[in-house]
Amino acid sequence: MNEDVDKARNVDLRWFFAVLAAYFLIQIAVRVAMPPTLGLDEAEQAFRSQWLAAGYGPQPPFYNWLQYAAFSISGVSLLSLAVVKNALLFTSYVIYGLTARMILKNSVLVVVATLGLLTLPQVAFEMQRDLTHTVAVFFSGCVFLYGFIRSLKKPDVLSYLVTGIGIGIGLLSKYNFALLPASALLAALLDPQMRKRVFDWRMALTTITALVIALPHLFWLKDNLGFATARTLKKLTDGGNASYVVQVAMGSGLLVLAVIGFCAVTLLVFAIAFGKPFLSAFSGRSQWTQLLERIMLFSILGILLLVIFGGAAHIKDRWLVPLFFIFPLYLCLKIEASNVAVLNPLRRLVPVVAIIMIAVPSILFGRIAAATLNGDYERLNVPYAQLAAALRQQGEPAAILAEGSLLAGNLRKDLLPATVISTDYPGFKPTVSISKERPLLVVWPLSTAQGNALPAKAAEWLKSVPELGSIAPEVSTIEVPYYYARNGDSYRFGYAWVAPAD
């Protein structure tokens, strides 16, 4: 490295982390400034926060538990959702930076590696757009990586405990996380020095800690395996009527495209930041570059085995988050190991990252506000809060039956304290006292071509309730203007107040 970089070896990372904290505070402010409509994952959190369980369905429960705790303290609100997500993201970035500091000698490269997370579209943009469980698995991956690297470099009881905590939380975040510790274990076993850390007696602490954290959900999973995995497996294996050869070719091809899609922007940004010497850096090798290379290669091999033997045909780039989030750190390790002479990369990297930091919240807000010009409405343009206000003027429901979790979660936020039931989640069967004074409110979205009749699932649910089964609800409709509507465009809902007969 040249002098410019050498002088920066002792960069105070506290200032860097303070800038990151400011960025995530801005993200919170932008989300709260947007329409008060919840996205799909946000609505799921609001709806499922009505009860605490060891499992909820296709996704493990860690984020649900976290959001349940936050709602219990602050109430169900958009602000609570935004704070939990961005607090997790900020903590992840900090832990990632601390991990980088353990194995990179140069503080500038520590900063570059951490900023490199912002060049991963699946981390910088998609997680802010609407994801929740992916945020949790990213956080757990960072915790695991910190404990794992520390166990290899400076092993102590705490490092093995942190590794176990990362694994436990990861298994509670997304099931594909299991590939990360498995790949890391195999990668370490191939290194003679690291192998000693794997066979250390303290590895038992890692195993016990991970099992204690994950055990409640694993017991639930044992009895609900089909319920938990059916939707995910359908997404993975839905190759139509394709033959086995076509399915494998399709899955393998999409895996390659997913890896390229995940890494391409980071490679481009690093090439801009480091210039021509960046190409020479790929010749650099060290114990740490080899470790991360093996982790990524074993991860790809694991997914490939799923394609070949598990019938997986649809691989998405965001599923690589818990496996390839180490990519920016890997590139920085390659650069340091190569000893190539480069100018201070921050001079060219910071403007690019600044553009990303401005662009992400601007795009998130702009795509909603742009509807007033182009009439292209997103989920967040749908006026659930205004619908709730209009319905509340008509009465106070004892419970709400909503058509789908998206509507259910939004009404849960806007019509507290009413219990909300969703027709797409039959597992939630609360005991609700319905009367003429506090009736049941049935709500569903109406498309342009759809009639006003009660949806089939809602009608079936009503028949399952003895005191409501014979009731023929009077259906009403309501039109509410979109947020940022063009020419007064509105969204139609159907609803019915249902009470027991005399």
Side-chain angles (χ1 to χ4, degrees):
M1 297 287 172
N2 76 0
E3 274 183 29
D4 287 345
V5 180
D6 288 337
K7 289 178 181 177
R9 284 185 182 277
N10 296 316
V11 169
D12 189 346
L13 294 180
R14 289 175 297 181
W15 286 104
F16 170 59
F17 291 143
V19 171
L20 283 178
Y23 170 69
F24 287 110
L25 286 173
I26 291 171
Q27 289 283 16
I28 293 172
V30 169
R31 182 63 188 96
V32 173
M34 292 166 71
T37 298
L38 303 184
L40 193 59
D41 280 21
E42 292 171 328
E44 176 200 90
Q45 294 301 319
F47 168 62
R48 295 184 182 182
S49 69
Q50 295 178 98
W51 73 99
L52 190 62
Y56 295 87
Q59 302 288 0
F62 175 69
Y63 202 101
N64 297 90
W65 292 349
L66 204 61
Q67 195 64 65
Y68 179 93
F71 283 157
S72 299
I73 296 170
S74 63
V76 180
S77 68
L78 181 59
L79 177 61
S80 178
L81 285 158
V83 167
V84 168
K85 173 181 285 189
N86 284 281
L88 267 184
L89 286 172
F90 171 66
T91 306
S92 302
Y93 276 62
V94 171
I95 295 172
Y96 193 89
L98 295 176
T99 304
R101 190 173 65 173
M102 279 194 289
I103 51 180
L104 284 167
K105 298 175 183 177
N106 195 298
S107 293
V108 167
L109 290 178
V110 172
V111 173
V112 170
T114 310
L115 287 177
L117 293 172
L118 288 168
T119 68
L120 299 172
Q122 300 76 11
V123 175
F125 182 78
E126 291 296 332
M127 289 188 186
Q128 291 290 352
R129 186 177 60 85
D130 189 27
L131 301 179
T132 52
H133 300 286
T134 304
V135 173
V137 80
F138 172 57
F139 167 75
S140 57
C142 291
V143 174
F144 166 77
L145 185 67
Y146 176 84
F148 180 65
I149 296 296
R150 180 169 165 168
S151 296
L152 297 176
K153 189 175 176 66
K154 297 178 180 178
D156 56 20
V157 169
L158 181 60
S159 67
Y160 283 89
L161 284 173
V162 171
T163 305
I165 291 170
I167 294 173
I169 294 176
L171 294 175
L172 291 177
S173 299
K174 266 186 173 294
Y175 298 124
N176 66 334
F177 172 85
L179 269 176
L180 177 61
S183 299
L185 178 65
L186 292 172
L189 286 172
L190 293 179
D191 185 287
Q193 292 181 326
M194 295 179 180
R195 194 181 304 137
K196 298 175 184 177
R197 306 305 183 197
V198 174
F199 292 111
D200 191 296
W201 69 268
R202 289 167 291 196
M203 184 61 76
L205 293 176
T206 299
T207 305
I208 293 170
T209 303
L211 282 175
V212 167
I213 293 172
L215 210 55
H217 179 64
L218 293 178
F219 277 124
W220 177 90
L221 188 63
K222 177 178 68 70
D223 297 325
N224 298 273
L225 188 61
F227 176 51
T229 60
R231 194 173 78 179
T232 302
L233 289 175
K234 184 178 179 181
K235 287 180 181 179
L236 274 172
T237 59
D238 187 11
N241 297 319
S243 65
Y244 173 75
V245 173
V246 172
Q247 172 264 311
V248 171
M250 184 188 304
S252 303
L254 287 176
L255 173 58
V256 172
L257 291 176
V259 172
I260 293 172
F262 197 94
C263 302
V265 176
T266 304
L267 285 169
L268 177 61
V269 172
F270 272 58
I272 293 171
F274 290 95
K276 290 182 179 180
F278 180 60
L279 294 176
S280 302
F282 282 93
S283 62
R285 293 177 66 83
S286 70
Q287 186 182 37
W288 298 111
T289 64
Q290 289 177 309
L291 176 71
L292 297 194
E293 281 171 3
R294 290 167 184 157
I295 291 175
M296 289 187 286
L297 286 172
F298 280 126
S299 297
I300 291 175
L301 180 60
I303 299 174
L304 196 57
L305 290 174
L306 186 62
V307 169
I308 296 171
F309 298 107
H314 295 280
I315 309 296
K316 297 183 179 179
D317 52 14
R318 73 169 180 266
W319 295 345
L320 300 180
V321 167
L323 310 172
F324 274 73
F325 74 99
I326 61 177
F327 188 63
L329 175 57
Y330 166 71
L331 292 180
C332 287
L333 286 166
K334 294 286 282 186
I335 291 164
E336 187 168 77
S338 68
N339 290 315
V340 295
V342 294
L343 296 174
N344 187 345
L346 290 178
R347 282 193 301 193
R348 284 187 279 186
L349 179 64
V350 167
V352 176
V353 170
I355 291 172
I356 294 173
M357 285 180 157
I358 294 170
V360 169
S362 299
I363 293 172
L364 289 169
F365 189 91
R367 68 195 180 97
I368 306 303
T372 192
L373 300 174
N374 58 27
D376 185 12
Y377 299 106
E378 304 278 346
R379 284 196 183 106
L380 297 191
N381 291 109
V382 180
Y384 295 112
Q386 295 178 36
L387 166 69
L391 293 175
R392 176 157 267 162
Q393 290 179 355
Q394 300 182 23
E396 289 288 338
I400 301 165
L401 177 62
E403 184 77 4
S405 294
L406 178 60
L407 177 58
N410 276 279
L411 294 181
R412 156 77 171 152
K413 173 177 72 73
D414 296 320
L415 284 175
L416 287 168
T419 299
V420 181
I421 303 160
S422 175
T423 57
D424 67 357
Y425 196 88
F428 179 50
K429 299 177 180 178
T431 301
V432 182
S433 178
I434 300 171
S435 63
K436 283 189 172 294
E437 294 74 24
R438 300 284 308 278
L440 172 74
L441 174 60
V442 185
V443 188
W444 63 95
L446 288 171
S447 65
T448 305
Q450 184 178 349
N452 298 338
L454 195 70
K457 287 185 178 180
E460 184 180 342
W461 189 93
L462 289 176
K463 289 179 181 178
S464 69
V465 181
E467 62 268 31
L468 301 178
S470 61
I471 303 294
E474 181 180 342
V475 173
S476 302
T477 62
I478 184 172
E479 292 193 18
V480 190
Y482 282 104
Y483 292 110
Y484 297 99
R486 185 183 68 168
N487 300 327
D489 290 348
S490 60
Y491 195 91
R492 297 176 68 239
F493 295 92
Y495 68 96
W497 293 93
V498 186
D502 293 331

